[in-house]
Amino acid sequence: MIPAAFEYFAPGSVAEAIGLLEQHGDEAKLLAGGHSLLPALKLRLSQPGVLIDISRVAELHGIEAGDRLSIGAATTYAAIASDPAVLGGCAVLAECAGQIGDIQVRNRGTLGGALAHADPAADLPAVVLALDAAIAVQGPAGARSISADDMFVEMLTTALEPNEVVTRVTFPVLGAGEGASYAKLKHPASRYAIVGVAAYVRLHADGSVAAARVAVTGAGPRAERQHATESALVGSAGDAAAIAAAAELAGESMEYLGDIHASETYRRAMVKVYTRRALEQAVARARG
Amino acid sequence: MTAEAPTKVIGKALKRREDPQLIVGQGNFLDDIKLAGMVHAVVLRSPYAHARIRSIDTSRAQAHPGVVAVFTGEDMLDINPLPCAWAAAGGRVQNNLNTPRALAVGEVHFAGDAVALVLAEDRYVARDAADLIDVDYEPLGVVVDARKAVEPGAPQLHENAPNNVIFKWDCGDAAATDAAIGSAEVVVREEIINQRLLPTPMETRGALARYESSTGEYTLWTTSQAPHVMRLLLTAFVFGIPEPKLRVISPNVGGGFGQKIFCYNDMAFTMWASKKIGRPVKFVEDRSENFKYSTAGRDHISDVEIAGTRDGQITGLRVQTYANLGAYISTIAPGIPTTLYGRIITGVYKIPAAYAHVTGVYTNTAMVDAYRGAGRPEASYLIERMIDRFAAEIGMDPAEVRRRNFIQPQDFPYHNGMGLLPYDSGNYEPALNRALEMVGYADFRAEQARARAEGRYLGVGLSSYVEICGVAPSAWIGLPGEGWGAGLWESANVRVHLTGQVVVTTGSLPHGQGLETTFAQLVADELGVAYENVVVEHSDTAGTPFGYGTYGSRSAAVGGTAIVKSTAKIKEKARRLAAHMLEASVDDVVFEDGKAYVRGSPDRSKSIGEIALQASVAYSLPEGMEPFLDETTYYDPPNCTFPFGTHIALVEVDGETGAVTLQRYVGVDDVGTVINPLIVDGQLHGGIAQGVAQALFERGVYDDNGQLVTGTLMDYAIPVASSLPSYELDRTVTPSPVNPMGVKGAGEAGTIGSAQAVMNAVIDALAPFGVKHLQMPATAERVWKAMHG
């Protein structure tokens, strides 16, 4: 578990980091919290010649509250989980960040790192999808925003262009009539999601469902919206029967992964169970 | 004078004196040691589980800057393969014994087998150079499952072991058992799998060797639970050099759980290479290597039949076990599934007819040897699972079946008919009753029924276990008996220095057990000195008498008794010297609470300090008495000890997901006399965590190509504090008659008692689904399939 030799840079700004990426091309990897990259390096599954450590770039840190929450990409899970603005305005994000891995992981792992790496079992991609977060990125061609729906393309592959850096992620501040939840079956060793489901709902004044976004992580090669479930729910009374019926539609058109910890069959069944659980809690929260 | 006697400390929950050093980071572990001129070793390992090595080209690695040398197995043919020290009773393993060499020669037999050694100025360079070695492998057929390995046509690992069979061993009465099962009212059959576990000590293993050409002497620092034994095996068997030419030192050892008992190839290749290149050589395995190469535990497949009457009397037990020992024989591997398993397969029950047959099997996997409990957890799991299985079959409360079949207090010493020495002492029912009371067993069934009506599945699981500690005497366990290649006595030297400070040296080797504390407690009370004035030294063959080390929960019962016997000799000498000092007759002098006094005249006395001073300066000693209070004992116990207890687990199973939550865990253990309750509880806590983990989380899995699927801690699920409830522990105390303290042993009891408590609870919870058995670990998916499949 000794990595191959690499060159190490610690740029002071995003612009400098992009310059280094352009200079070193395919040889370079960005290092933030390192919780996915370092094990890969130590097992020599990945042998980049250059590491660009962006964990100390000041502009990538910090949580700004406003109409939306704007969170720096290098903000750690622990910082997100304990931030008053997040807890007040987007509690599901704190809830999700606060149960990732263990304390050591949460003190190092970063929001931007989790999204850019796009591990199929990472928790945050599901929440990002359910909350329709926007991912701000910066690259040689300037800054742009990637919508959550466009972000996760394939296993370990995102919409990021070469030499682009995730800079911030913005989340909605949830108000009255809105609720969200994250429900998860944990992998017993890694604590990643075997199945993780994030659900968001907005209710009409009469209690019926005005909007719903549901996303599943862990079960398949990438985090994925559950459109059939969402459609079934919208317009419904949002009661137990409607939720159960909608949850039954979850995961039907997904690709699945299977391993010794959970077969495809099991994951398929659990997607429905956890979708129902996440929705029940999201609706309950929306009802206050 | 009596006011000066220090307070008694045996039975007190003293905090471990070992801890401050470790907590503040002042421990000295293998990888902390850096010697001048030291080079770093990295091993190139086989990616194939079975392959012929056609050629190895090390030239590119040799030329890599910073590389000092590269060696292969062919270079080390001047040393012998590692020895096997326990070929099982009756020398069952003989012509088919295959032990590892320092590096593989000609063929590799599991993924991770050591192929080449790179020595470099730093570890990074060595690791880079290992990638530059070109090995041409011819892949061969692979088998990883013990039952499949013995089938005709299975890939063969070693020419001398047809059908991969290492040994066939049995115990008990086959004919009587056949008859009992043939005529029984009820017979229950089950396949019981005890899955492979990876011991996962927090500190991985390794070795650092230094050879001095001027003296021809080696020093080996290594992560060993038994440095004296390593010296013996490496000098007499591997290198063929005189024993005094090697000094073995175990620095702080960060957990062993059995994995660090054994003689490993890195001890041999660091010594060999150090002599070859004239510089110290250090090898420390990383976690991946620890998982791939160092020994695993368990890995049994058993066909079991239990027979009995409809009113709950067990009449017979027949067990056929395939024990996977991996690609080679580790140091004591054959003894584990035989003596330490088959002979105690009847557990806490009087079973009139029992028979166990064990086939030891080679497979293309890492070696399997003792892991915390070593054979007894496998036995205890098997019988306790089958008792529940039988109870369910006849519709009787599992607690009642246990009661009806317990060995009774008046039956001790008890012969179980399986070739074991008699169980020393026991009283099983009070421990069961206390555990039932603590858990509220009487009310639980009603609660369970209510919960089921709400769609919640609660389960209760019982485990009444007995185990074997302090394995001895040497005449029984040794070559003529059970086949252990040496003795199993223990040594202790006790010296009272002229300042009154007591120095104890022991052949035991604490690596987390708190023996420095426990042994000091023993000596303080025996000699009547302050606990703080007793120092315990260990772990260096140059400074301690020969001893067999720490494993098998033997250190209190065997090592502790050796210490007590040495203190008895000290007291006797002190008494005689005091009589001389007091000008009294020896017969009139009594030694008690740290002083010797004339019977009837307690003011005429000499303290142990005064006596030690006189013994040391030796200005006036009785005729013929040697100076100094310095006594050594080599103690060989007359029997093993047999701790026991009842553990009960309460679980809730999520009916939709199969996820198991361990809600409560109650343990009532009887480990005999308790010297330090804090340390005993700590041992039980850790042991229970490992047993619970076997039931719920851990499994070492190879794929069909012999690749370890659970090769990292991201895949192999060890227990963490958040996955366990707070244990509720109590104990009964049935002193062992085997040793003067009455201690039995506590190091493994928690592990031996726990896995089946949890599994029985899970299966009890699943009763509404008609589930009769489930293999470990009870992962969410397995449980879900059992409910919904």
Side-chain angles (χ1 to χ4, degrees), chain A residues 185 194-195 216 218-220 247-248 250-252 254-274, chain B residues 656-658 780-789:
Chain A
L185 180 64
I194 286 177
V195 169
V216 170
E248 273 306 304
E252 284 299 319
M254 268 177 59
E255 268 185 78
Y256 283 90
L257 297 174
D259 59 27
I260 62 160
H261 298 286
S263 66
E264 293 182 29
T265 310
Y266 181 62
R267 285 172 202 254
R268 184 179 287 273
M270 290 308 106
V271 163
K272 297 179 196 306
V273 170
Y274 281 87
Chain B
E656 286 186 322
T657 67
E781 176 163 17
R782 272 199 185 150
V783 174
W784 178 80
K785 277 187 176 153
M787 290 188 291
H788 300 274

Side-chain angles (χ1 to χ4, degrees), chain B residues 393-456:
Chain B
E393 192 75 20
I394 61 169
M396 186 176 281
D397 184 327
E400 188 53 31
V401 174
R402 283 173 172 79
R403 269 194 202 97
R404 289 194 184 187
N405 292 280
F406 273 158
I407 301 159
Q408 296 301 308
Q410 66 274 15
D411 296 332
F412 293 92
Y414 175 76
H415 287 271
N416 73 351
M418 303 301 279
L420 195 58
L421 294 173
Y423 294 14
D424 59 343
S425 62
N427 192 2
Y428 300 148
E429 199 164 334
L432 171 67
N433 290 342
R434 176 68 185 130
L436 292 171
E437 177 194 326
M438 285 167 70
V439 85
Y441 191 70
D443 302 328
F444 176 80
R445 292 294 175 193
E447 188 189 341
Q448 184 181 44
R450 278 195 302 277
R452 277 177 190 168
E454 298 164 8
R456 293 191 304 117

